[in-house]
Amino acid sequence: MKTRLKNLLLYFCLLPLSGCFHSDPTEDVFSTYLNRLANVQDQDVVPFKAHSIPALPEKRELRVSIEDIRMGLLDAYELRKCGLFQLIAERNSILGKVQDEFHVLHYEINFSHTLKKCLVSSALREETRSELLNIQSQKQEQLLQRYWNTIVASEEWNKQLQPFPIMLPITQMHSSTPTLQAIRYFSDIQLGITYDQLPTDVDTLFLHQRALSKTRYLSQLFYSLQHSTDWLTTATTQLKQHDKLIICGLNRNQTKAKYLQNIFFRFYIEQIQPYLAKLDSDYQEIKPHLISMYQSEHQANNVSFTPYYGYYIEGKIHENFKQATIEHVRYWQSLFKRCNFTIGRQ
């Protein structure tokens, strides 16, 4: 019975649609490129190696614990007139207490705007005003923490930060626009908290929440940069290790060199290079907004986030990517020079 069960499980794992194995079309292009190089060299393929990278800490490590602020003003008549009472009542309802991080941040920003309106009310008693000013100060201190919990522990942002193990498609790459717009919006919130100029379009939070839930663009961008780096490094190693087998020169048989040249143009120039350029462009466009979004918060709230921040957001992953690209192109430049090939198809 146990043997039959094992065989049945094995059978289902081998089914193409089972999910036990998946084909990544972009990785297939890199893999084919590497295999073609090895075939021309008539050598074994250098094993692909994925380099170790910093992991995103668990949510429980990232999340900041925030104590609720107790308010003894719920019966104050002035709060009903300026809208603060209704806002607090909704937050204290059963549904309000189980809201996700986006809704909590939405409430806190709304509360900040409404509280400011209450404080300028001419009908406000001094006792109530004094209490509200105290609450405003406490809420302001907590707002960055609420923001932090949203950008690291909400389901939507946490998934964006976790590298997703499928590379962005090499053809018809997904648009980065929705993710970039969300990053810019949250960057504006961070600046608004710092300079007490919170955005007034608070409901836009939910538009970005829905947009982020429909894509893993940022996580795929991170994964694509890393795996492109690893594939390029492997291919460069393949080329350099067996470079002496590629013969060039007058009255020499340059067949292997010409085959390599064709592979370079067919795979690298026509498919891989445009893909690398798109990854590079998208990351450089997103990076400054990501830094603005996360920089001060990670330093103030969580040291466990620092390795991740330095690698993915501050840009070590991109530096490695650029270096791997440069080294790969340098090999081809040296081969073309040695074989007296021109840049272009023969």
Side-chain angles (χ1 to χ4, degrees):
M1 185 66 181
K2 288 183 178 179
T3 302
R4 183 182 175 186
L5 181 60
K6 288 181 180 178
N7 289 338
L8 188 62
L9 289 172
L10 178 61
Y11 166 75
F12 281 115
C13 278
L14 291 174
L15 288 175
L17 299 179
S18 68
C20 293
F21 299 99
H22 75 271
S23 175
D24 185 330
T26 302
E27 296 226 38
D28 289 345
V29 172
F30 279 97
S31 178
T32 301
Y33 176 54
L34 178 63
N35 277 275
R36 293 293 178 86
L37 296 176
N39 287 342
V40 170
Q41 294 172 331
D42 197 21
Q43 298 294 316
D44 292 337
V45 177
V46 172
F48 172 80
K49 181 181 179 182
H51 288 81
S52 177
I53 53 178
L56 180 69
E58 296 291 333
K59 284 186 182 181
R60 64 178 180 272
E61 297 178 56
L62 293 171
R63 192 189 301 274
V64 176
S65 179
I66 307 171
E67 291 186 11
D68 286 333
I69 297 172
R70 301 296 176 184
M71 298 178 61
L73 295 170
L74 291 184
D75 294 327
Y77 179 70
E78 301 99 309
L79 301 192
R80 293 177 181 269
K81 293 187 67 176
C82 67
L84 203 57
F85 175 85
Q86 295 86 340
L87 200 60
I88 297 170
E90 289 175 13
R91 179 71 175 90
N92 288 337
S93 69
I94 294 175
L95 290 176
K97 291 179 180 179
V98 294
Q99 288 180 334
D100 62 27
E101 289 83 359
F102 271 80
H103 282 80
V104 171
L105 183 61
H106 179 272
Y107 165 78
E108 295 294 343
I109 295 175
N110 238 343
F111 184 93
S112 178
H113 286 314
T114 307
L115 179 55
K116 283 183 178 180
K117 292 177 183 177
C118 287
L119 286 170
V120 297
S121 171
S122 58
L124 204 63
R125 291 178 298 165
E126 271 312 307
E127 179 186 352
T128 306
R129 187 187 308 277
S130 176
E131 181 67 18
L132 288 181
L133 285 170
N134 181 49
I135 290 168
Q136 184 184 45
S137 176
Q138 294 179 65
K139 284 285 190 181
Q140 185 66 24
E141 290 178 6
Q142 287 188 352
L143 200 49
L144 276 176
Q145 295 175 320
R146 300 286 186 189
Y147 169 80
W148 168 259
N149 283 347
T150 305
I151 64 175
V152 296
S154 67
E155 180 180 356
E156 293 78 13
W157 276 119
N158 194 263
K159 283 184 177 179
Q160 290 293 333
L161 296 177
Q162 294 274 7
F164 186 62
I166 296 179
M167 297 179 76
L168 288 166
I170 203 163
T171 56
Q172 297 181 336
M173 192 184 293
H174 305 320
S175 172
S176 63
T177 302
T179 304
L180 178 58
Q181 288 175 340
I183 291 170
R184 283 174 170 167
Y185 182 80
F186 272 82
S187 175
D188 288 343
I189 290 178
Q190 191 275 330
L191 292 173
I193 294 171
T194 303
Y195 297 105
D196 195 22
Q197 294 179 341
L198 288 166
T200 55
D201 55 337
V202 189
D203 289 346
T204 305
L205 263 174
F206 300 133
L207 296 178
H208 291 306
Q209 183 180 24
R210 286 193 290 274
L212 290 169
S213 69
K214 295 176 182 178
T215 179
R216 295 290 296 270
Y217 182 83
L218 185 61
S219 58
Q220 282 190 272
L221 176 61
F222 287 158
Y223 183 84
S224 301
L225 284 167
Q226 182 60 50
H227 268 242
S228 294
T229 300
D230 293 336
W231 277 113
L232 286 174
T233 301
T234 304
T236 305
T237 301
Q238 180 79 46
L239 289 164
K240 286 183 175 181
Q241 277 188 2
H242 308 294
D243 180 60
K244 292 182 179 179
L245 299 176
I246 309 304
I247 300 171
C248 290
L250 292 174
N251 302 319
R252 308 287 297 274
N253 185 349
Q254 297 191 137
T255 302
K256 284 187 176 183
K258 289 181 178 179
Y259 281 157
L260 281 183
Q261 183 188 32
N262 288 334
I263 292 170
F264 171 75
F265 283 104
R266 181 180 173 187
F267 287 92
Y268 187 80
I269 294 299
E270 292 183 2
Q271 298 181 66
I272 294 174
Q273 196 277 330
Y275 178 74
L276 301 178
K278 183 67 166 62
L279 294 181
D280 178 69
S281 173
D282 281 6
Y283 181 81
Q284 291 201 66
E285 185 176 20
I286 284 174
K287 177 185 172 181
H289 302 288
L290 272 179
I291 289 176
S292 176
M293 182 177 165
Y294 283 95
Q295 186 177 42
S296 61
E297 280 60 56
H298 101 265
Q299 293 171 351
N301 289 295
N302 204 292
V303 293
S304 67
F305 189 68
T306 300
Y308 177 95
Y309 175 86
Y311 194 76
Y312 289 102
I313 296 174
E314 205 167 41
K316 182 62 177 175
I317 187 175
H318 187 238
E319 291 176 17
N320 293 345
F321 169 81
K322 290 194 295 183
Q323 189 59 38
T325 303
I326 291 169
E327 290 181 5
H328 191 70
V329 170
R330 279 177 178 167
Y331 171 81
W332 285 112
Q333 289 174 335
S334 66
L335 178 68
F336 282 20
K337 183 177 181 180
R338 180 161 66 85
C339 296
N340 198 28
F341 290 159
T342 57
I343 301 299
R345 289 190 177 278
Q346 299 299 305

